[in-house]
Amino acid sequence: MIKQTFAVVANSLLFIGKKTGLTYNEVNILVYYLLIPLSWTVMFDCWLSLPITSAALMCVWIRIFIATRHTFREWCDQAFQDSVNFLNWFNRWGGNYVLNSVIICVLLPLFIYGILIWLLLR
């Protein structure tokens, strides 16, 4: 089940890359560092009734886009490699890249969505 989940996510990111002309690394970084966190901040801001965290995240990303306007692909490649290194850091406890990816990049975000949805429905 772990390998299949990893494959579905990786293939989805590859498909998005092919459709948008972005590399796998660019799509991965945009999804996991911009889109997912932005959806969390929007939900959190709705709970707060104040759009402060979404605005802060967008300011960070606008600064990133400006600072890397000529090197965004390379920046994403480095950020992706840093992410791989982070996920592999957990191997010391018996995991592997695929398992760590599913836990941290699929299950943890779903758990956070669950908490945010619970907060919004309360």
Side-chain angles (χ1 to χ4, degrees):
M1 183 70 172
I2 298 294
K3 288 181 183 177
Q4 293 89 343
T5 302
F6 180 87
V8 166
V9 172
N11 288 332
S12 298
L13 296 175
L14 282 168
F15 176 79
I16 293 168
K18 286 180 184 175
K19 292 296 181 183
T20 61
L22 298 172
T23 67
Y24 176 85
N25 292 355
E26 288 172 307
V27 173
N28 187 291
I29 294 303
L30 288 171
V31 167
Y32 283 102
Y33 287 77
L34 174 61
L35 297 179
I36 290 173
L38 184 60
S39 70
W40 293 343
T41 61
V42 167
M43 293 171 77
F44 186 69
D45 288 348
C46 287
W47 179 68
L48 287 178
S49 299
L50 185 67
I52 191 154
T53 58
S54 298
L57 179 62
M58 288 310 300
C59 287
V60 168
W61 270 96
I62 288 169
R63 184 171 166 100
I64 289 169
F65 286 135
I66 290 169
T68 64
R69 67 186 172 277
H70 300 298
T71 59
F72 186 70
R73 180 166 288 172
E74 292 82 10
W75 183 83
C76 287
D77 289 343
Q78 184 59 53
F80 180 79
Q81 186 56 53
D82 291 342
S83 298
V84 169
N85 294 341
F86 173 76
L87 292 170
N88 282 328
W89 183 81
F90 293 95
N91 291 350
R92 65 188 69 201
W93 292 292
N96 60 56
Y97 177 74
V98 172
L99 175 63
N100 299 337
S101 294
V102 170
I103 291 170
I104 294 172
C105 302
V106 177
L107 297 179
L108 183 59
L110 289 174
F111 178 72
I112 293 170
Y113 278 117
I115 291 170
L116 290 168
I117 291 167
W118 176 79
L119 284 173
L120 288 171
L121 295 177
R122 266 187 54 213

